[in-house]
Amino acid sequence: MKKDLGSVLALYPTPLVVVGTMVNGKPNWVLVGHLGIMGHDHIMVSLAKPHYTNQGIKETKALSVNVVDEEMLKKADYAGCVSGAKTDKSELFDYEIGRNGAPLISEAKLSMECTVEDNYEMKTFDNFILTIDHTYAEEAILNEAGKIDYDKYKPILFEMPGYTYLRTGETAAKCMALGREMKEE
Amino acid sequence: MKKDLGSVLALYPTPLVVVGTMVNGKPNWVLVGHLGIMGHDHIMVSLAKPHYTNQGIKETKALSVNVVDEEMLKKADYAGCVSGAKTDKSELFDYEIGRNGAPLISEAKLSMECTVEDNYEMKTFDNFILTIDHTYAEEAILNEAGKIDYDKYKPILFEMPGYTYLRTGETAAKCMALGREMKEE
């Protein structure tokens, strides 16, 4: 018998990312853990409206989504502690400017360069729906087929109820392997 | 120097869930790995339009989102291998009927009972935007404060590039602890 916790967000853990965008001519970085995948070619990042970053995203329609691993966690966490409206965070990360004009974090091993297709607005949140123009990855996190290899690359994950960052663990199974076994039983 | 992989979905790993809904008067179950969090009180599940489940969700507006852990992975994976249009999956899981009429998986340690608020349609996908009416959790996965404890509860995660299921790992840090250290440096 399960316990009724009321209406509690429980879709964790999620990947943790640093979103980069140009705001008033300078790069700004914000930490985001509320996000998602829509269809097979869109991602979504959810940002409370008062964030300084939202202005830049609305103006430029261009942003980077940099996946956080343990090596960049300290700086990423810092980006979540201070607001770009009060503190200039432009030098927090070394960056390159992507083809769409958004700043990409050099030390992130995996980054997506994205364009805003739509904003699904809620009362206090902008939910930016993004197309992925380019995905950039370090060779070291790819397998022989050139795909991201989660045995080599371990993103940091976010969970709200305990307000912690978690590690990505080991492989439990290949998709459809267990289900196919069961079909044959 | 990172490599340009082209436009590749790389926002992984995500939590893995089994969505339950009534279709033609019977429970049906579908495995979903493309999903997300919007704002602080909505979740989103993205389902290709041909899924049998989508009919039921559209008719009833009621569904359950059952978070998958390793103990229920085999059945969850099976739910992803066969279509409810061809195979009656109603007896795959023991279930209880929630207050909104959607079937909730008894053996899932964490389930959300949800109502459809909107459908953000894409050409081949329904992206159901959901309010969370009730969140149900086993006592065994809660801490003393009654919150979900990710030291005790280890959801299974999904990643598309290698098409594997991954385990949730250990705690890396408390949120804002590293960032605050850096502020004081």
Side-chain angles (χ1 to χ4, degrees):
Chain A
M1 190 59 199
K2 288 192 280 251
K3 194 175 165 185
D4 184 352
L5 308 182
S7 172
V8 168
L9 260 187
L11 201 57
Y12 298 102
T14 61
L16 181 71
V17 303
V18 175
V19 166
T21 194
M22 298 301 286
V23 193
N24 299 322
K26 278 187 169 182
N28 192 56
W29 314 105
V30 68
L31 189 65
V32 181
H34 284 176
L35 40 73
I37 297 174
M38 295 175 114
H40 276 164
D41 48 9
H42 289 75
I43 61 174
M44 182 276 303
V45 290
S46 184
L47 280 158
K49 288 191 177 180
H51 276 300
Y52 185 64
T53 285
N54 296 33
Q55 297 174 32
I57 295 177
K58 287 176 186 175
E59 276 169 33
T60 65
K61 306 273 183 211
L63 63 159
S64 67
V65 174
N66 306 276
V67 181
V68 175
D69 69 355
E70 197 150 0
E71 282 176 48
M72 61 177 279
L73 180 58
K74 190 170 184 173
K75 286 190 193 173
D77 192 39
Y78 176 82
C81 286
V82 296
S83 167
K86 290 185 192 159
T87 306
D88 179 355
K89 292 189 266 185
S90 62
E91 298 195 0
L92 180 59
F93 295 105
D94 288 336
Y95 60 89
E96 296 139 57
I97 297 295
R99 300 178 213 196
N100 67 3
L104 290 146
I105 297 177
S106 303
E107 72 193 78
K109 297 184 187 77
L110 182 60
S111 302
M112 286 168 273
E113 191 179 315
C114 298
T115 301
V116 176
E117 184 172 290
D118 199 4
N119 179 7
Y120 185 88
E121 272 191 76
M122 290 174 172
K123 205 188 276 179
T124 58
F125 277 81
D126 291 314
N127 299 288
F128 296 108
I129 296 167
L130 313 173
T131 54
I132 304 162
D133 304 321
H134 296 275
T135 301
Y136 302 99
E138 291 287 350
E139 292 270 9
I141 70 165
L142 302 177
N143 63 19
E144 287 170 9
K147 292 191 172 178
I148 302 156
D149 183 337
Y150 289 90
D151 281 333
K152 297 178 177 174
Y153 182 58
K154 298 290 179 190
I156 286 288
L157 308 167
F158 168 69
E159 61 90 7
M160 184 85 123
Y163 209 46
T164 67
Y165 301 125
L166 301 167
R167 296 194 178 95
T168 294
E170 304 307 309
T171 302
K174 281 292 286 180
C175 295
M176 302 188 88
L178 298 169
R180 282 199 191 118
E181 260 176 43
M182 206 170 140
K183 269 173 92 169
E184 285 158 17
E185 272 164 16
Chain B
M1 189 61 199
K2 288 193 281 250
K3 193 174 166 186
D4 184 353
L5 307 183
S7 172
V8 168
L9 259 186
L11 201 57
Y12 298 102
T14 61
L16 182 72
V17 303
V18 175
V19 165
T21 194
M22 298 300 285
V23 193
N24 299 323
K26 277 188 170 182
N28 192 56
W29 315 105
V30 68
L31 189 65
V32 182
H34 284 176
L35 40 74
I37 298 174
M38 295 175 113
H40 276 163
D41 48 9
H42 289 76
I43 60 173
M44 181 277 302
V45 290
S46 184
L47 279 160
K49 288 191 176 179
H51 276 300
Y52 185 64
T53 284
N54 297 33
Q55 300 174 30
I57 295 177
K58 287 175 186 175
E59 276 170 31
T60 65
K61 306 274 183 211
L63 63 160
S64 67
V65 174
N66 306 275
V67 182
V68 174
D69 70 354
E70 197 150 357
E71 282 176 50
M72 61 178 279
L73 179 58
K74 189 170 184 173
K75 285 189 193 175
D77 191 41
Y78 176 82
C81 287
V82 296
S83 166
K86 289 185 192 157
T87 306
D88 179 355
K89 292 190 265 185
S90 63
E91 299 194 359
L92 180 59
F93 296 105
D94 287 336
Y95 60 89
E96 296 138 57
I97 297 294
R99 298 179 215 196
N100 68 3
L104 290 145
I105 296 178
S106 303
E107 71 194 78
K109 298 184 186 78
L110 181 61
S111 301
M112 286 169 273
E113 192 180 314
C114 298
T115 300
V116 176
E117 185 173 289
D118 199 3
N119 179 7
Y120 185 88
E121 272 192 76
M122 290 174 172
K123 204 188 276 179
T124 58
F125 277 81
D126 291 316
N127 299 287
F128 296 108
I129 295 168
L130 313 173
T131 54
I132 303 162
D133 304 322
H134 296 276
T135 302
Y136 302 99
E138 290 288 350
E139 292 272 8
I141 69 164
L142 302 177
N143 63 19
E144 286 170 10
K147 290 189 173 181
I148 302 155
D149 184 338
Y150 289 90
D151 281 334
K152 297 177 178 174
Y153 183 57
K154 299 290 178 190
I156 285 289
L157 308 166
F158 169 69
E159 59 90 8
M160 185 85 122
Y163 209 45
T164 66
Y165 301 125
L166 301 167
R167 295 193 179 95
T168 294
E170 303 308 310
T171 302
K174 281 291 287 181
C175 296
M176 300 188 88
L178 299 169
R180 282 200 191 116
E181 260 177 43
M182 206 171 141
K183 268 174 92 169
E184 285 158 18
E185 272 165 19

